[in-house]
């Protein structure tokens, strides 16, 4: 039998349940997912669906600080990401990133993030 | 541990009285000595998670668990209920409550103990993992001291929120055979380790 270990997102959601005195059942209802699906996401048996973290932020009306922590826990939990580039340049960029992402140094990654964040804050 | 494979395991022997003691100690620790209703869902989901770092309560679907309604990790890292059982538990379904209490029994009695797969008829009842867990479930859901003289099986089912069958079994075991009769020879199996100790 496998051992069960919580993902970073699972840890964050369980902490919230303690804070709000909720059961898994209550949270699953609020997020409109089944209890076994929520547990599977928390344990890493299933990846969080797209926009899952955002749904948690909205349903629980998390403030900026808590929202940021939850979304970064969600990002850390994900093993893969879906990107949907539209232009040819965007497709080439994504393909290159996909091929090389694990070979880039943290310095290089930091530069790429700085560019992406600049775009975000515009 | 158990129902995953529908298996029975030979575990170190425990007397019915030892097991009742574990159930009573748990109720005492939770301040539930005089409350008929035992909130088993609250205990396996909230109390254990808050008290024991490294323990998680889990819910699985049919695809993950098949015919197993509940399972408990032998190392105590989780109790997992099938989603239909978990949901029935919170609708106070008697059978689901017994299943959850049975898993709690495995958690408290059989964490990190030597276990050997066995066939039900080949081992003595007091070495049978499933019989021990069932007895724990009956004791924690329906403590002897709260079953008042004159109560019928039906009263027991109603007061303690258990199924008619569980109430009937408890009624018969307490009144006619089993628990009381065996109390006298209990001590020889020794005391049981601290409820919340992790080893």
């Amino acid at each position: 039998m496998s051992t069960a270990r919580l993902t970073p997102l699972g840890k964050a959601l369980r902490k919230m349940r303690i804070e709000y005195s909720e059961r898994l059942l209550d949270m699953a209802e609020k997020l409109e997912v089944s209890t076994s699906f929520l547990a599977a996401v928390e344990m890493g048996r299933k990846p969080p669906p797209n926009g899952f973290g955002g749904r948690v932020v909205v349903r629980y009306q998390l403030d900026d600080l808590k929202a940021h922590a939850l979304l970064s826990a969600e990002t850390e939990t994900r093993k893969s990401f879906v990107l949907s580039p539209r232009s040819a340049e965007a497709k080439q960029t994504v393909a290159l990133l996909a091929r090389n992402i694990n070979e880039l140094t943290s310095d290089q990654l930091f530069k790429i993030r700085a560019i992406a964040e600049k775009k975000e804050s515009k | 541990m158990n129902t995953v494979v529908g298996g029975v395991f030979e575990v170190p022997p425990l007397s019915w009285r030892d097991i009742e003691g574990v159930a009573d100690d748990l109720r005492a620790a939770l301040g539930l000595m005089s409350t008929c209703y035992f909130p088993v869902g609250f205990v396996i989901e909230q109390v254990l998670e808050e008290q024991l770092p490294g323990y998680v309560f889990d819910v699985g679907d049919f695809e993950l668990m098949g015919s197993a309604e509940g399972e408990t990790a032998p190392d105590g890292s989780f109790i997992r209920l099938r989603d239909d059982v978990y949901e029935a538990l919170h609708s106070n379904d008697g059978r689901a409550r017994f299943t959850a209490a049975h898993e709690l029994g495995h958690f408290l009695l059989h964490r990190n103990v030597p276990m050997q797969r066995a066939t039900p008829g080949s081992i003595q009842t007091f070495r049978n993992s499933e019989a021990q867990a069932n007895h724990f479930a009956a004791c924690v859901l329906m403590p002897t001291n709260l079953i008042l003289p004159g109560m019928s099986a039906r009263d027991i089912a109603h007061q303690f929120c258990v199924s008619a069958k569980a109430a009937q079994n408890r009624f018969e075991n307490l009144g006619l055979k089993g628990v009381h009769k065996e109390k006298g020879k209990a001590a020889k199996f020794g005391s049981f380790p601290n409820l919340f100790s992790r080893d």
Side-chain angles (χ1 to χ4, degrees), chain A residues 15 17 34 47 49 55 59 61 64-65 69 71 74-76 78 80-81 83-84 87-88 92 96 100 121-122:
Chain A
K15 215 174 126 198
R17 287 211 289 279
S34 72
R55 202 187 306 175
R59 294 292 153 86
Q61 300 179 322
D64 287 354
L65 201 68
L71 292 173
E74 186 198 27
T75 302
E76 213 184 310
R78 282 188 192 283
S80 61
F81 294 80
L83 294 174
S84 310
S87 71
Q92 296 296 345
L96 273 170
N100 300 319
S121 62
K122 260 184 193 169

Side-chain angles (χ1 to χ4, degrees), chain A residues 16-92:
Chain A
M16 280 176 58
R17 287 211 289 279
I18 292 174
E19 198 179 319
Y20 290 80
S21 298
E22 281 188 356
R23 302 163 299 183
L24 187 97
L25 184 76
D26 306 307
M27 184 174 263
E29 259 172 33
K30 236 183 221 181
L31 298 175
E32 294 171 38
V33 293
S34 72
T35 53
S36 50
F37 182 81
L38 179 58
V41 168
E42 291 184 346
M43 301 295 187
R45 289 192 294 270
K46 287 180 182 164
N50 281 336
F52 186 77
R55 202 187 306 175
V56 176
V57 170
V58 171
R59 294 292 153 86
Y60 285 86
Q61 300 179 322
L62 299 183
D63 63 32
D64 287 354
L65 201 68
K66 283 181 177 169
H68 180 78
L70 185 96
L71 292 173
S72 75
E74 186 198 27
T75 302
E76 213 184 310
T77 298
R78 282 188 192 283
K79 292 192 180 93
S80 61
F81 294 80
V82 177
L83 294 174
S84 310
R86 282 192 292 273
S87 71
E89 285 105 327
K91 284 179 188 173
Q92 296 296 345

